[in-house]
Amino acid sequence: MAPHDIRRPFKRRPISDQQKRRELSLLRQTQHRSDAQQRARNLASSVISLQSSSPDVDPEILSEAVPELDEGTESESSNFDVRQASRLRGPEARKWFARQLMLPEWMIDVPDNLSQDWYVVARPAGKRCFVVSSDGTTVSRVRNGSILHHFPSALPGGARKKGAAGPASSYSILDCIFHESDQTYYVIDMVCWRGYSLYECTAEFRFFWMQSKLAETGACDPPSFYHKFRFSAVPFYNCDQSGLHSAYTGSSPYVKDGLLFYNKHAHYHTGNTPLVLIWKDESCSQYVIDTDNNGEVPNQQHIVLELQEEGKLVTSDDPPVPFSYLNADFVKQSGLSSGSLIRFAIGDGGLKCVDGRFEKADLQYIGVSNRARAFADSYSKIMFQYMARHSPLKVEDLASTISHENQQDKPPEVEMSD
């Protein structure tokens, strides 16, 4: 992608309230203060807890956790002990752990002030996971709570070696993507460092610490006896013309899987957030349109929705977006129940939005989703996939928006007379 100098702003008919929710999320950050330090301690305990479990224990049991918290509520983690959390299994464990990661929404409209308020990162392909170093060991867990690796590392408290002992509170939590081909953990965010919680720090501050602190520990060094896997902080760029060009076309040591956009003022918000966005096209990702179990792109777009009371079908968003309803007799005959995840195909009638609000969808019932699935699709993912098939948001659209913002920021030229 060559730097773009189109001066007209990119505008598309609105299909969501994503920009409004971005503004509300930033406002909510300033109004709501949660116990982030306690959240980090509970998460560290949850990730490490199963390292000494016997082989017959379900690897998805979490031995310490916190209940799902609604926004604006105070943490009740102090009341949720090991015995209670050990009962979490299967979908419950997966749902709890998936909500501990900050999950990007799919970019379905271009954010305001993209060139000033956002970073852009070339996302590595691989398994998204938390990596926790504590008490002489390091454990990585993927989104469903299962252990990916249990290993020594050069992270603080990450290995049992002479002179490496530290205070019990010296745990660290990194948000990573494990890149299989070079056996490297690429760090995309830093959640906690040496017991200091970064949940309520801005992305601007977290990224600065991620780049500076990680290198100090030797975690970026090649593997050794006390350091089984190499870590590497992903490069981030200001989302101006140069930064977008570097992230999109620049070389990287890993296979790219789209671009991530971070609002510089965003805190680390567990669950879906409109302050982090993912965008893909065929030039920077092998998988832009969802494939089926055989790795083939189906003729129709498939989506997964959750069945709620009275037959309502909704997305995984908070609050959920209602898509349709199932007839009560059909629900009964099919053996479905509230909480079931159901797969549908989008028919020729497609999706319809009016003034930025979803109105209706032409849905064709396929069947119950795979049992390993923990969540329904989000609204932004459904709409991004639909756009990718019909009218994709292109990198030129992002570049033209940045170019227009730059033109607006320039002071007007003043002619000087003799």
Side-chain angles (χ1 to χ4, degrees), residues 12-22 105-110 274 277 321 353-358 379-380 383-384 387:
R12 179 191 293 271
R13 180 180 296 176
I15 58 173
S16 81
D17 59 351
Q18 200 170 47
Q19 178 59 36
K20 181 180 179 181
R21 289 185 293 103
R22 279 191 283 268
E105 289 192 7
W106 292 74
M107 185 188 285
I108 53 180
D109 63 36
V110 182
L277 303 170
V321 178
C353 297
V354 176
D355 297 329
R357 291 184 175 274
F358 171 77
Y379 177 79
S380 64
M383 297 308 300
F384 184 93
M387 289 163 52

Side-chain angles (χ1 to χ4, degrees), residues 21-38:
R21 289 185 293 103
R22 279 191 283 268
E23 296 167 358
L24 289 174
S25 293
L26 288 170
L27 179 63
R28 192 179 295 118
Q29 283 184 174
T30 63
Q31 295 174 338
H32 174 58
R33 302 292 294 178
S34 63
D35 188 359
Q37 194 74 31
Q38 185 62 37

